[in-house]
Amino acid sequence: MAFLLSLLVLLLLALLLVRLGLSAFAAPLTAVASACLLMCFLGMAGLFQFSVILLYCLAALSALLLLRESGEARRALLKRFFCPATVFFAAASLAFYIILYIKQPYFQQWDEFSFWGIAAKNVFLHKDLYTLFESSQLSISYAPALPLFSCFIQYGAAVFSEWAVMAAYDVMTAAALAALFSGVNWRQPLRVLALAAFGAFGLYMFWYSFLGARLYATAYADIQLGVMLGGALALWFSKGERAAPRFLACLTALALLPMIKDMGLAFGLIAAFIMAADMLLGGGFPFKKYKWLWPLLLLALPALSYQSWNWHYAAHHAVDRSAVYYQYGLMQMLAGEDAYFNGLLAKMFGEELFTRQLVMFGPIIDMLLVFTALPLICALFCREKRGAARLCLASLLLCAGFFAYYFFLAYLYASVFAHSEDYYLPAFERYLSSYAIGWYISLVALCKSEGVRWRFKRPADGGALAAAAFTAAVFIFSPVHPDQYLLTSSKVQLELSDMRLAAKELAVDLKANLPEDARLYLICQASDGEEWFYLNYELQPLYLCRTLEGGWFVPESEERGRYDTFAGPEEFIAYLEANGIGYIVVERTDEYFEETFAHLFSDSLASFKEDGVKLYKTNGATSGARFDPVV
């Protein structure tokens, strides 16, 4: 019910935007982007709940204005509003909701428990931005748009649902795809069906990047980043919209990109540069005065949005998010002084370009050729020289943007990620697909926009048909995986793993027996950290402190691994006291831990050995046994 209410609010906000002069095809994306920005900026001021109330009030105002209209005016407004774009947005959002409600998948990816999932859960539990309260969530420096939007979508729900997070993000996807319906009305059923088919199936082309169903069943930000990039450019390339409303609508999408993920800054700048170049080529300035100002505003807004989050985080945590602690600066890396960076470039522009797959029909190089060629081919059939020039320029700039992003990824892999002898590139396809998805959506919008008037004067919109034909060709001539579709996929996790289920049951028991301000420490020897992440997620809002040095106790004589730490009883006690930890959860021990630390427990871990997982409480002793079993 909370989802349906939130979707109704978004539709009423879109209706209000149409009343103010925005075309209906641009209204869903602009409503979603504006709502997210309002929640982000008011949330940074500690007013997140007020922002949600304000959105509800604006929706109520839209409904009241509709009721006050005369019958003829109301019918005219609703006729303008219920176009193929808004119907697709509502239908796709409901379809995602129904499918996910039936399947009810759980989070399953590592980063969903380190940030993307736990952030959404914490915002829901606290009804506040995660930078403004203390929690054991590991990262709080990531941009907040998705967790806040997730909370808005299930704001009135009694309990937090993981599948509802996925449904919320799919609403953003539906809003971005709705922007493709510019200039399409109900008297053009062929175009409506073609674009609806593309919206329903087009992104499944990225099977190799997202393993099929995870494309629509994940809390990661990568898909939303891509579709928002594509949606922003689709708005820009649209026909049938006045320059000023289109410009303002695009500003909201550009400002939102850095609030989805830090990489959104790069995407926002690339999109803004393409828009500015297109504006300078063919006019389309939103206002006649100060023409030089509007391209600059396009470029400045993503940077200002990104910097606003930096300022907020620095003000509350005294940390400069822009600092990169790496021995080589960017100019030194460009000069070839960093051997590791040079090796990365050689690998990424060599074998990776010709072997890695993002799309079903071939490796990255094939995708580059096809995506770049499509607008160029359309330009050959464009009646207007300006339209042909627009197609060519935008296609080349989109391709150049991909390589700029590709190069920037190499810089990040060298300066941020851990180095490896084989130049390992974690999540490489997933990161690249964010841009590829945006490119794919925007090139369809571009070809559709400039393909309305073809030399051969065919009655149907060649661009829309080309999009549908290309999508169909990919599925006809490419291998189709049963796990590719959300309805039939086995990749969606419908049942909790044994480890996750044990963590959930343990968390329920602990919450029932601990005060709300309890701080805990987990003992789980010989672990890769998965148990800690699961328990930390399930325990929220209780505080599970990070393990000492991020690892488990091993003797100094052993070679230290990634998840190991050398520390004796004195260091352990000092860490507990420094962090105000009052409870110890013992889940798994080993011979070394029992020999070295058992004397700290009043029962020498006998209760743990008898009951399995056991909770101990600090007794305030300054020496000897410090932990007593909790009955």
Side-chain angles (χ1 to χ4, degrees), residues 139-207:
S139 177
I140 57 173
S141 64
Y142 293 168
L146 292 184
L148 294 178
F149 187 69
S150 165
C151 184
F152 166 73
I153 289 294
Q154 52 180 319
Y155 194 79
V159 295
F160 175 77
S161 300
E162 295 176 17
W163 63 268
V165 176
M166 304 169 193
Y169 300 166
D170 291 337
V171 170
M172 298 183 73
T173 301
L177 292 173
L180 293 173
F181 286 82
S182 63
V184 179
N185 57 56
W186 294 114
R187 294 189 300 274
Q188 301 162 318
L190 198 57
R191 298 188 215 183
V192 173
L193 290 175
L195 290 170
F198 173 81
F201 301 109
L203 297 190
Y204 280 115
M205 174 189 304
F206 297 90
W207 158 258

Side-chain angles (χ1 to χ4, degrees), residues 236-254:
W236 183 262
F237 293 133
S238 62
K239 292 273 189 175
E241 177 63 277
R242 290 175 295 132
R246 182 189 66 171
F247 181 83
L248 296 174
C250 288
L251 287 183
T252 62
L254 289 178

Side-chain angles (χ1 to χ4, degrees), residues 88 92 96 177 194-204 215-216 471 475 485:
F88 173 84
F96 281 126
L177 292 173
L195 290 170
F198 173 81
F201 301 109
L203 297 190
Y204 280 115
L215 182 72
Y216 295 113
T471 304
F475 289 98
Y485 302 98

